[in-house]
Amino acid sequence: MFIGHFGVGFAGKKFSKSASLGTYFMAAQWIDLIWPILLLLGIEQVEVKPGITTVNPLEFTNYPFSHSLIGVLFWALLFGLTYYLIKKNLKTSVLLGLFVLSHWFLDLLVHIPDLPILIGNGTKVGFGLWNSLAATLIVEGLIFIAGIYFYFRATKTKNKTGTYSLIGLIIFLVLIYISNLFSPPPDSVQAIAIVGNAQWLIILWGYWIDRNRATV
Ligand SMILES: [Zn+2]
């Protein structure tokens, strides 16, 4: 799942106006932001296996620290707590923690049973929507569109940049998503990790948009 997580981030302003769009993106996408780092460090592993699902060519062989339910609960608490210590806003801290957690439940929809519950060998879960391109596009597309709708309703632009930066990001995310779906699988784990780390630029883009839009 990719744009679905950003859809959740876009929806953040509907529930609390105080955090930046960049922070909401960071929370919703947090475990996919740390995953490439853990891959590069050799702590987690992935294999390229074209055809393992219709939509996604990766076999997630080992990613307990970023993608187990218990691991994500830990990250959610840490994320919310860190925000609370910095901003002293309980409501938004809880929301951000829930957004970190939302990632796992959205992944649960699309992944085949490769998401661990606990660290170590145990039950792995996943409903496998990735076996249907149409179902993946519908579910993820709807979440993305709903999130954007909420964001447009909760904010208004302060200047031209506030409009163009937002429209630009929406188009950019859709283009990456479509090209991922239809391009050949990545040729190495290194390539996956490098592209994955580049997602931090989308977080920065979120902060840039936020500075050029006001909440209503
Ligand atoms: Zn993920």
Side-chain angles (χ1 to χ4, degrees):
M1 166 128 356
F2 178 65
I3 55 171
H5 299 303
F6 286 97
V8 171
F10 271 120
K13 292 274 182 187
K14 175 181 165 57
F15 305 103
S16 165
K17 315 244 181 219
S18 52
S20 167
L21 178 63
T23 308
Y24 288 129
F25 280 166
M26 204 196 298
Q29 191 61 345
W30 179 252
I31 64 172
D32 275 3
L33 288 165
I34 57 167
W35 177 63
I37 300 169
L38 295 170
L39 281 181
L40 280 180
L41 293 173
I43 295 168
E44 298 196 335
Q45 284 81 32
V46 66
E47 279 171 37
V48 182
K49 281 245 177 85
I52 188 163
T53 72
T54 309
V55 176
N56 194 303
L58 303 180
E59 182 176 12
F60 300 95
T61 47
N62 183 43
Y63 58 169
F65 302 108
S66 65
H67 277 76
S68 69
L69 179 57
I70 193 87
V72 178
L73 278 168
F74 166 79
W75 291 117
L77 275 170
L78 189 70
F79 200 105
L81 189 66
T82 305
Y83 188 84
Y84 184 75
L85 290 175
I86 297 168
K87 301 280 187 183
K88 303 279 184 289
N89 183 324
L90 184 61
K91 180 186 167 196
T92 309
S93 306
V94 171
L95 181 65
L96 288 165
L98 289 174
F99 272 22
V100 174
L101 200 56
S102 79
H103 187 117
W104 192 87
F105 286 93
L106 290 183
D107 275 4
L108 180 66
L109 296 178
V110 295
H111 281 237
I112 52 174
D114 59 32
L115 288 161
I117 304 285
L118 304 168
I119 312 261
N121 287 334
T123 312
K124 292 183 174 180
V125 288
F127 299 149
L129 226 53
W130 270 340
N131 284 320
S132 162
L133 177 61
T136 303
L137 286 175
I138 290 169
V139 169
E140 204 165 348
L142 284 176
I143 299 168
F144 186 63
I145 290 166
I148 290 169
Y149 170 77
F150 289 135
Y151 187 73
F152 269 102
R153 285 207 50 182
T155 64
K156 65 172 194 294
T157 191
K158 290 182 192 166
N159 51 44
K160 279 188 180 156
T161 310
T163 303
Y164 297 139
S165 59
L166 175 59
I167 303 289
L169 179 61
I170 294 167
I171 293 170
F172 180 70
L173 289 172
V174 171
L175 287 179
I176 298 185
Y177 186 57
I178 292 171
S179 78
N180 269 343
L181 289 178
F182 299 107
S183 58
D187 50 13
S188 71
V189 173
Q190 205 82 2
I192 298 166
I194 289 165
V195 172
N197 276 311
Q199 288 188 89
W200 286 101
L201 294 172
I202 302 173
I203 309 302
L204 293 178
W205 200 333
Y207 283 105
W208 179 47
I209 293 170
D210 199 87
R211 265 194 298 189
N212 290 288
R213 297 185 69 87
T215 50
V216 289

